[in-house]
Amino acid sequence: MKKVIVACGSGVATSQTVASKVTRLLKERNLDDIKVEVVDLKSVDSHIKSSAAYIAITKIEKQYSIPVINGIAFLTGINMEAELQKIIDACK
């Protein structure tokens, strides 16, 4: 099972919304082997090594060793399919 992490500033409302939407979109595509997990922003670094991608809701100031996905796309719907494809590609 591949893991994708989601984090926003507080780790509560926005990240939960994005995680639910991404999980639903993956399930619609029969990609049940990808787990979407909400983490606290302060915990991102400790989850990076065990994750295939990071869905960021806030602006990212540093580089990560895994793909960083634009989480705002899942809130607005703008470029959502392209960002979803990045998640799928990262989990292959």
Side-chain angles (χ1 to χ4, degrees), residues 4-92:
V4 175
I5 55 173
V6 183
C8 66
S10 65
V12 184
T14 308
S15 54
Q16 291 286 351
T17 301
V18 170
S20 293
K21 187 162 194 175
V22 171
T23 298
R24 181 179 53 80
L25 292 168
L26 292 170
K27 188 174 213 118
E28 287 173 0
R29 288 159 178 78
N30 296 316
L31 296 168
D32 298 323
D33 59 335
I34 302 172
K35 176 184 174 189
V36 181
E37 184 177 313
V38 176
V39 301
D40 183 273
L41 193 57
K42 295 176 218 151
S43 305
V44 168
D45 289 343
S46 65
H47 289 273
I48 289 294
K49 289 182 182 174
S50 63
S51 302
Y54 167 30
I55 303 172
I57 313 296
T58 59
K59 184 176 166 105
I60 302 302
E61 301 292 332
K62 63 189 274 186
Q63 295 286 349
Y64 289 99
S65 59
I66 61 174
V68 177
I69 311 301
N70 176 4
I72 300 299
F74 298 100
L75 295 171
T76 64
I78 299 170
N79 293 326
M80 183 179 73
E81 288 299 323
E83 295 301 311
L84 181 63
Q85 190 59 52
K86 289 178 189 177
I87 294 169
I88 294 167
D89 291 344
C91 293
K92 286 185 177 176

